[in-house]
Amino acid sequence: MRAARLIKMVLLLQSRPSMTAAELARELEVSERTVTRDAQALSEAGVPVYADRGRAGGYRLIGGYRTRLTGLARSEAEALFLSGVPGALREMGLDDAASAARLKVSAALLPSLRDASRTAAQRFHLDAPGWFHEPLTPELLPAIAEAVWDDLVLRVSYGRRDAVVERELEPYGLVLKAGVWYLAARVRDDARPDFRVYRIDRFLSVAVPADARRFTRDAEFELPAFWAERADQFAREILRAEVVVRLTASGVRQLPYVTGRVSAREALDSAVEEADGRVTVTLPVESEDVAYTQLMELGPEAEVVAPGALRERFAVAARRMRGWYG
Protein backbone atom coordinates (compact mmCIF):
# COMPACT_ATOMS: atom_id res chain seq x y z
CA MET A 1 0.00 0.00 0.00
CA ARG A 2 2.71 2.47 0.99
CA ALA A 3 4.91 1.50 -1.96
CA ALA A 4 2.08 2.28 -4.39
CA ARG A 5 1.50 5.60 -2.65
CA LEU A 6 5.18 6.54 -2.89
CA ILE A 7 5.21 5.77 -6.62
CA LYS A 8 2.09 7.88 -7.12
CA MET A 9 3.70 10.74 -5.18
CA VAL A 10 6.75 10.66 -7.46
CA LEU A 11 4.55 10.63 -10.57
CA LEU A 12 2.50 13.56 -9.27
CA LEU A 13 5.64 15.61 -8.60
CA GLN A 14 7.02 14.61 -11.97
CA SER A 15 3.93 15.97 -13.73
CA ARG A 16 3.91 19.40 -12.03
CA PRO A 17 6.55 22.01 -11.14
CA SER A 18 5.70 21.73 -7.43
CA MET A 19 2.87 20.73 -5.09
CA THR A 20 2.02 21.80 -1.57
CA ALA A 21 1.65 19.29 1.23
CA ALA A 22 -2.10 19.96 1.24
CA GLU A 23 -2.39 19.25 -2.50
CA LEU A 24 -0.42 16.02 -2.19
CA ALA A 25 -2.47 14.96 0.83
CA ARG A 26 -5.69 15.52 -1.13
CA GLU A 27 -4.45 13.56 -4.17
CA LEU A 28 -3.05 10.71 -2.10
CA GLU A 29 -5.94 10.69 0.41
CA VAL A 30 -3.64 10.87 3.44
CA SER A 31 -2.72 13.47 6.07
CA GLU A 32 -0.11 16.16 5.53
CA ARG A 33 1.99 14.51 8.25
CA THR A 34 2.01 11.32 6.16
CA VAL A 35 3.09 13.35 3.12
CA THR A 36 6.03 14.70 5.11
CA ARG A 37 7.08 11.19 6.18
CA ASP A 38 6.72 9.85 2.62
CA ALA A 39 8.82 12.69 1.19
CA GLN A 40 11.53 11.89 3.73
CA ALA A 41 11.39 8.19 2.80
CA LEU A 42 11.76 9.00 -0.89
CA SER A 43 14.71 11.28 -0.19
CA GLU A 44 16.44 8.55 1.83
CA ALA A 45 15.83 6.12 -1.06
CA GLY A 46 17.67 8.44 -3.47
CA VAL A 47 14.71 10.22 -5.09
CA PRO A 48 15.62 13.95 -5.11
CA VAL A 49 12.52 15.38 -3.43
CA TYR A 50 13.13 18.93 -2.23
CA ALA A 51 10.92 20.78 0.28
CA ASP A 52 10.49 24.55 -0.08
CA ARG A 53 9.65 26.18 3.25
CA GLY A 54 7.23 29.03 3.89
CA ARG A 55 3.62 29.86 3.06
CA ALA A 56 4.15 29.43 -0.71
CA GLY A 57 6.37 26.39 -0.26
CA GLY A 58 5.84 22.82 -1.30
CA TYR A 59 7.57 19.76 -2.71
CA ARG A 60 9.33 19.37 -6.03
CA LEU A 61 11.76 17.10 -7.84
CA ILE A 62 15.17 18.54 -8.65
CA GLY A 63 17.80 17.71 -11.22
CA GLY A 64 15.32 16.77 -13.95
CA TYR A 65 14.58 13.47 -12.19
CA ARG A 66 12.32 11.13 -14.20
CA THR A 67 11.02 7.72 -13.27
CA ARG A 68 10.56 4.90 -15.80
CA LEU A 69 7.42 3.02 -16.77
CA THR A 70 8.87 -0.42 -16.00
CA GLY A 71 6.97 -0.46 -12.68
CA LEU A 72 3.60 -0.82 -14.42
CA ALA A 73 1.60 -3.93 -13.62
CA ARG A 74 -0.14 -5.77 -16.49
CA SER A 75 -3.60 -4.46 -15.54
CA GLU A 76 -2.22 -0.91 -15.40
CA ALA A 77 -0.55 -1.23 -18.79
CA GLU A 78 -3.73 -2.61 -20.39
CA ALA A 79 -5.82 0.17 -18.84
CA LEU A 80 -3.37 2.71 -20.29
CA PHE A 81 -4.01 1.44 -23.81
CA LEU A 82 -7.77 1.55 -23.21
CA SER A 83 -7.62 5.28 -22.44
CA GLY A 84 -7.61 6.30 -26.10
CA VAL A 85 -10.64 6.58 -28.39
CA PRO A 86 -9.26 5.58 -31.81
CA GLY A 87 -12.20 6.86 -33.86
CA ALA A 88 -12.27 10.22 -32.10
CA LEU A 89 -8.51 10.64 -32.42
CA ARG A 90 -8.73 9.87 -36.13
CA GLU A 91 -11.50 12.45 -36.65
CA MET A 92 -9.42 15.12 -34.88
CA GLY A 93 -6.41 14.32 -37.08
CA LEU A 94 -4.41 12.90 -34.17
CA ASP A 95 -4.22 9.23 -35.10
CA ASP A 96 -0.54 9.45 -36.19
CA ALA A 97 0.47 11.15 -32.93
CA ALA A 98 -1.50 8.61 -30.89
CA SER A 99 0.11 5.73 -32.76
CA ALA A 100 3.60 7.13 -32.14
CA ALA A 101 2.82 7.62 -28.45
CA ARG A 102 1.60 4.03 -28.10
CA LEU A 103 4.79 2.76 -29.72
CA LYS A 104 6.95 4.80 -27.33
CA VAL A 105 5.03 3.56 -24.30
CA SER A 106 5.29 -0.02 -25.54
CA ALA A 107 9.03 0.35 -25.98
CA ALA A 108 9.39 1.57 -22.39
CA LEU A 109 7.48 -1.36 -20.91
CA LEU A 110 9.00 -4.60 -19.71
CA PRO A 111 9.09 -7.30 -22.43
CA SER A 112 6.43 -9.30 -20.58
CA LEU A 113 3.98 -6.37 -20.87
CA ARG A 114 4.53 -5.31 -24.48
CA ASP A 115 1.49 -7.23 -25.70
CA ALA A 116 -0.78 -5.10 -23.47
CA SER A 117 -2.08 -3.01 -26.37
CA ARG A 118 -3.11 -6.13 -28.30
CA THR A 119 -4.75 -7.89 -25.36
CA ALA A 120 -6.70 -4.76 -24.42
CA ALA A 121 -7.90 -4.19 -28.01
CA GLN A 122 -9.07 -7.81 -28.24
CA ARG A 123 -11.32 -7.38 -25.20
CA PHE A 124 -12.76 -3.84 -25.30
CA HIS A 125 -14.02 -1.48 -27.97
CA LEU A 126 -15.73 1.89 -27.59
CA ASP A 127 -18.48 2.68 -30.12
CA ALA A 128 -19.40 6.27 -29.25
CA PRO A 129 -22.15 7.14 -31.79
CA GLY A 130 -25.78 6.34 -31.04
CA TRP A 131 -27.84 3.75 -32.89
CA PHE A 132 -29.81 4.24 -36.08
CA HIS A 133 -27.84 7.04 -37.71
CA GLU A 134 -24.58 7.27 -39.61
CA PRO A 135 -22.14 9.60 -37.82
CA LEU A 136 -20.56 12.28 -40.00
CA THR A 137 -17.12 13.72 -39.29
CA PRO A 138 -17.26 17.54 -39.49
CA GLU A 139 -14.84 18.76 -42.14
CA LEU A 140 -13.51 21.56 -39.91
CA LEU A 141 -12.92 19.38 -36.84
CA PRO A 142 -9.13 18.82 -37.34
CA ALA A 143 -8.49 22.59 -37.65
CA ILE A 144 -10.53 23.28 -34.52
CA ALA A 145 -8.79 20.48 -32.62
CA GLU A 146 -5.40 21.92 -33.54
CA ALA A 147 -6.45 25.33 -32.19
CA VAL A 148 -7.68 23.68 -28.97
CA TRP A 149 -4.33 21.97 -28.44
CA ASP A 150 -2.30 25.11 -29.14
CA ASP A 151 -4.59 27.64 -27.34
CA LEU A 152 -5.01 29.62 -30.57
CA VAL A 153 -7.72 32.22 -31.09
CA LEU A 154 -10.15 31.26 -33.88
CA ARG A 155 -12.14 33.54 -36.18
CA VAL A 156 -15.29 31.64 -37.13
CA SER A 157 -18.56 31.82 -39.03
CA TYR A 158 -21.32 29.91 -37.25
CA GLY A 159 -24.73 29.02 -38.64
CA ARG A 160 -27.67 29.54 -36.32
CA ARG A 161 -31.25 28.68 -37.20
CA ASP A 162 -32.01 32.24 -38.31
CA ALA A 163 -28.65 33.81 -39.16
CA VAL A 164 -24.91 33.42 -39.67
CA VAL A 165 -22.76 35.08 -36.99
CA GLU A 166 -19.08 35.99 -36.98
CA ARG A 167 -17.11 35.43 -33.78
CA GLU A 168 -13.60 35.35 -32.37
CA LEU A 169 -13.41 32.41 -30.01
CA GLU A 170 -11.02 31.06 -27.41
CA PRO A 171 -11.44 27.30 -28.00
CA TYR A 172 -11.11 25.48 -24.67
CA GLY A 173 -12.17 21.90 -25.29
CA LEU A 174 -13.94 19.35 -27.48
CA VAL A 175 -16.69 16.96 -26.42
CA LEU A 176 -17.99 13.95 -28.36
CA LYS A 177 -21.59 13.25 -27.32
CA ALA A 178 -23.50 10.38 -28.97
CA GLY A 179 -21.56 10.81 -32.21
CA VAL A 180 -21.88 14.63 -32.31
CA TRP A 181 -18.88 16.90 -31.72
CA TYR A 182 -19.19 20.08 -29.62
CA LEU A 183 -16.76 22.91 -28.83
CA ALA A 184 -16.60 24.63 -25.45
CA ALA A 185 -15.33 28.15 -26.10
CA ARG A 186 -15.31 31.68 -24.78
CA VAL A 187 -16.21 34.64 -27.01
CA ARG A 188 -13.49 37.29 -27.09
CA ASP A 189 -14.33 40.94 -26.35
CA ASP A 190 -17.84 39.94 -25.33
CA ALA A 191 -19.79 41.97 -22.78
CA ARG A 192 -20.43 38.69 -20.94
CA PRO A 193 -17.26 36.61 -21.41
CA ASP A 194 -18.85 33.35 -20.31
CA PHE A 195 -18.27 29.92 -21.81
CA ARG A 196 -20.58 28.67 -24.54
CA VAL A 197 -21.16 25.44 -26.43
CA TYR A 198 -21.09 25.20 -30.25
CA ARG A 199 -21.91 22.25 -32.50
CA ILE A 200 -18.89 21.61 -34.71
CA ASP A 201 -21.00 20.72 -37.75
CA ARG A 202 -22.57 24.20 -37.72
CA PHE A 203 -19.28 26.02 -38.28
CA LEU A 204 -19.16 27.34 -41.81
CA SER A 205 -15.54 28.51 -41.66
CA VAL A 206 -12.72 28.67 -39.12
CA ALA A 207 -9.39 30.46 -39.41
CA VAL A 208 -6.51 31.38 -37.17
CA PRO A 209 -5.82 35.15 -37.44
CA ALA A 210 -2.64 36.11 -39.30
CA ASP A 211 -0.82 37.00 -36.09
CA ALA A 212 -1.62 33.53 -34.66
CA ARG A 213 -2.56 34.89 -31.26
CA ARG A 214 -2.58 32.60 -28.27
CA PHE A 215 -4.95 33.14 -25.39
CA THR A 216 -4.34 32.56 -21.68
CA ARG A 217 -6.53 29.74 -20.42
CA ASP A 218 -8.64 30.19 -17.31
CA ALA A 219 -6.87 27.95 -14.78
CA GLU A 220 -10.16 27.18 -13.02
CA PHE A 221 -11.93 25.87 -16.13
CA GLU A 222 -12.58 22.10 -16.01
CA LEU A 223 -14.15 20.65 -19.14
CA PRO A 224 -15.93 17.59 -17.58
CA ALA A 225 -17.58 19.70 -14.86
CA PHE A 226 -18.54 22.44 -17.36
CA TRP A 227 -20.06 19.92 -19.77
CA ALA A 228 -22.06 18.15 -17.03
CA GLU A 229 -23.49 21.47 -15.86
CA ARG A 230 -24.37 22.69 -19.37
CA ALA A 231 -25.86 19.33 -20.38
CA ASP A 232 -28.24 19.43 -17.40
CA GLN A 233 -28.99 23.10 -18.05
CA PHE A 234 -29.79 22.42 -21.71
CA ALA A 235 -31.97 19.43 -20.84
CA ARG A 236 -33.97 21.62 -18.44
CA GLU A 237 -34.22 24.68 -20.70
CA ILE A 238 -35.95 22.81 -23.52
CA LEU A 239 -38.71 21.60 -21.17
CA ARG A 240 -41.19 24.43 -21.80
CA ALA A 241 -44.51 22.63 -21.19
CA GLU A 242 -46.06 20.21 -18.70
CA VAL A 243 -48.41 17.26 -18.93
CA VAL A 244 -50.13 15.34 -16.14
CA VAL A 245 -49.85 11.56 -16.49
CA ARG A 246 -51.00 8.51 -14.48
CA LEU A 247 -48.46 5.69 -14.59
CA THR A 248 -48.52 2.03 -13.69
CA ALA A 249 -45.56 0.54 -11.85
CA SER A 250 -44.18 -0.57 -15.22
CA GLY A 251 -44.69 2.94 -16.61
CA VAL A 252 -42.72 4.42 -13.72
CA ARG A 253 -39.80 2.11 -14.50
CA GLN A 254 -39.89 2.89 -18.23
CA LEU A 255 -40.37 6.66 -17.97
CA PRO A 256 -36.63 7.62 -17.84
CA TYR A 257 -36.03 5.65 -21.05
CA VAL A 258 -38.67 7.49 -23.12
CA THR A 259 -38.49 11.06 -21.77
CA GLY A 260 -34.93 11.61 -20.57
CA ARG A 261 -33.25 11.68 -17.19
CA VAL A 262 -33.95 15.28 -16.15
CA SER A 263 -37.63 15.23 -17.14
CA ALA A 264 -38.27 11.85 -15.51
CA ARG A 265 -36.47 12.83 -12.31
CA GLU A 266 -38.56 15.98 -11.85
CA ALA A 267 -41.77 14.11 -12.64
CA LEU A 268 -41.15 11.25 -10.24
CA ASP A 269 -40.15 13.67 -7.48
CA SER A 270 -43.71 15.05 -7.68
CA ALA A 271 -45.43 11.64 -7.84
CA VAL A 272 -48.73 11.18 -5.96
CA GLU A 273 -49.96 7.63 -5.35
CA GLU A 274 -53.56 6.89 -6.34
CA ALA A 275 -56.01 4.40 -4.80
CA ASP A 276 -55.71 1.99 -7.74
CA GLY A 277 -51.93 1.67 -7.29
CA ARG A 278 -50.97 3.99 -10.12
CA VAL A 279 -49.13 7.28 -9.54
CA THR A 280 -49.91 10.70 -10.96
CA VAL A 281 -46.96 12.84 -12.06
CA THR A 282 -46.49 16.27 -13.60
CA LEU A 283 -44.07 15.69 -16.46
CA PRO A 284 -41.97 18.54 -17.94
CA VAL A 285 -41.83 18.19 -21.72
CA GLU A 286 -40.42 20.05 -24.70
CA SER A 287 -43.86 20.37 -26.33
CA GLU A 288 -47.17 18.53 -26.57
CA ASP A 289 -46.07 17.01 -29.89
CA VAL A 290 -42.90 15.63 -28.29
CA ALA A 291 -44.90 14.38 -25.28
CA TYR A 292 -47.29 12.54 -27.63
CA THR A 293 -44.42 10.75 -29.35
CA GLN A 294 -42.64 9.88 -26.09
CA LEU A 295 -45.65 8.75 -24.06
CA MET A 296 -47.02 6.69 -26.94
CA GLU A 297 -44.06 4.35 -26.33
CA LEU A 298 -45.49 3.55 -22.89
CA GLY A 299 -48.75 2.27 -24.41
CA PRO A 300 -51.23 1.13 -21.74
CA GLU A 301 -48.75 1.89 -18.94
CA ALA A 302 -49.58 5.64 -19.12
CA GLU A 303 -52.81 7.65 -19.12
CA VAL A 304 -52.62 11.32 -20.06
CA VAL A 305 -54.82 13.39 -17.75
CA ALA A 306 -54.04 16.92 -18.95
CA PRO A 307 -53.94 19.04 -21.04
CA GLY A 308 -57.26 18.10 -22.58
CA ALA A 309 -56.11 18.46 -26.17
CA LEU A 310 -53.30 15.96 -25.65
CA ARG A 311 -55.62 13.54 -23.84
CA GLU A 312 -58.00 13.70 -26.80
CA ARG A 313 -55.15 12.84 -29.21
CA PHE A 314 -54.46 9.69 -27.20
CA ALA A 315 -58.17 8.88 -27.11
CA VAL A 316 -58.33 9.12 -30.91
CA ALA A 317 -55.25 6.91 -31.21
CA ALA A 318 -56.76 4.37 -28.79
CA ARG A 319 -60.03 4.21 -30.79
CA ARG A 320 -58.09 3.65 -34.02
CA MET A 321 -56.05 0.86 -32.42
CA ARG A 322 -59.20 -0.74 -31.03
CA GLY A 323 -60.62 -0.75 -34.53
CA TRP A 324 -57.55 -2.58 -35.79
CA TYR A 325 -57.35 -5.12 -32.97
CA GLY A 326 -61.07 -5.51 -32.25
Side-chain angles (χ1 to χ4, degrees):
M1 180 69 177
R2 191 190 185 199
R5 189 175 71 242
L6 292 174
I7 292 172
K8 184 176 181 180
M9 183 174 179
V10 172
L11 294 175
L12 285 169
L13 293 174
Q14 187 172 293
S15 65
R16 307 180 193 181
S18 68
M19 295 182 70
T20 66
E23 290 171 336
L24 284 167
R26 186 166 55 252
E27 292 280 355
L28 299 171
E29 299 181 348
V30 296
S31 67
E32 292 185 33
R33 186 181 297 272
T34 298
V35 168
T36 301
R37 288 198 297 265
D38 286 353
Q40 181 64 32
L42 287 171
S43 181
E44 292 174 355
V47 178
V49 178
Y50 181 79
D52 292 313
R53 306 296 180 185
R55 178 179 298 180
Y59 294 91
R60 58 188 175 89
L61 295 174
I62 60 176
Y65 180 85
R66 309 291 294 177
T67 188
R68 294 177 60 83
L69 290 173
T70 50
L72 285 175
R74 169 165 290 277
S75 60
E76 293 170 331
E78 290 173 341
L80 177 64
F81 285 105
L82 281 176
S83 62
V85 186
L89 291 172
R90 182 172 56 253
E91 291 179 9
M92 288 189 291
L94 298 174
D95 49 340
D96 289 341
S99 177
R102 285 192 293 270
L103 287 173
K104 290 178 181 179
V105 172
S106 295
L109 292 172
L110 291 171
S112 60
L113 300 180
R114 287 178 185 164
D115 66 339
S117 62
R118 181 178 59 83
T119 58
Q122 286 175 337
R123 289 163 174 79
F124 300 98
H125 172 66
L126 176 62
D127 185 9
W131 290 99
F132 311 123
H133 70 275
E134 186 68 25
L136 299 176
T137 302
E139 182 180 348
L140 299 174
L141 177 60
I144 295 172
E146 184 177 353
V148 169
W149 279 113
D150 293 338
D151 297 336
L152 291 173
V153 173
L154 280 177
R155 185 175 294 125
V156 306
S157 296
Y158 187 76
R160 291 179 172 174
R161 291 182 180 178
D162 55 349
V164 174
V165 296
E166 306 288 332
R167 292 281 188 270
E168 279 204 354
L169 301 179
E170 296 177 353
Y172 268 69
L174 291 166
V175 175
L176 176 61
K177 171 70 172 179
V180 179
W181 284 95
Y182 297 88
L183 172 69
R186 188 158 58 180
V187 180
R188 289 178 67 84
D189 303 324
D190 192 53
R192 296 181 298 109
D194 55 343
F195 291 95
R196 303 181 187 180
V197 175
Y198 299 87
R199 276 187 60 142
I200 299 295
D201 57 8
R202 291 181 184 168
F203 283 107
L204 304 177
S205 67
V206 299
V208 176
D211 52 0
R213 290 170 291 168
R214 283 182 164 80
F215 63 92
T216 302
R217 297 179 68 90
D218 184 340
E220 296 183 358
F221 178 82
E222 293 185 2
L223 183 59
F226 167 79
W227 178 258
E229 178 184 347
R230 286 303 174 92
D232 274 354
Q233 179 182 337
F234 172 76
R236 188 63 190 86
E237 285 178 351
I238 65 174
L239 303 176
R240 301 184 178 93
E242 290 183 343
V243 300
V244 180
V245 187
R246 288 195 187 99
L247 299 169
T248 65
S250 177
V252 169
R253 290 192 297 271
Q254 295 178 50
L255 188 66
Y257 300 100
V258 301
T259 64
R261 177 174 53 85
V262 173
S263 181
R265 182 180 65 222
E266 292 192 16
L268 297 177
D269 285 345
S270 68
V272 176
E273 189 168 354
E274 304 291 348
D276 62 359
R278 293 185 296 170
V279 297
T280 298
V281 302
T282 300
L283 179 69
V285 295
E286 186 174 348
S287 67
E288 289 188 19
D289 287 340
V290 172
Y292 178 80
T293 301
Q294 293 175 335
L295 295 175
M296 187 63 76
E297 294 187 38
L298 296 181
E301 310 305 328
E303 176 196 357
V304 173
V305 178
L310 183 60
R311 180 179 174 86
E312 179 59 25
R313 289 180 67 179
F314 275 88
V316 170
R319 289 193 290 270
R320 291 177 62 195
M321 293 183 70
R322 182 175 181 177
W324 293 335
Y325 292 103

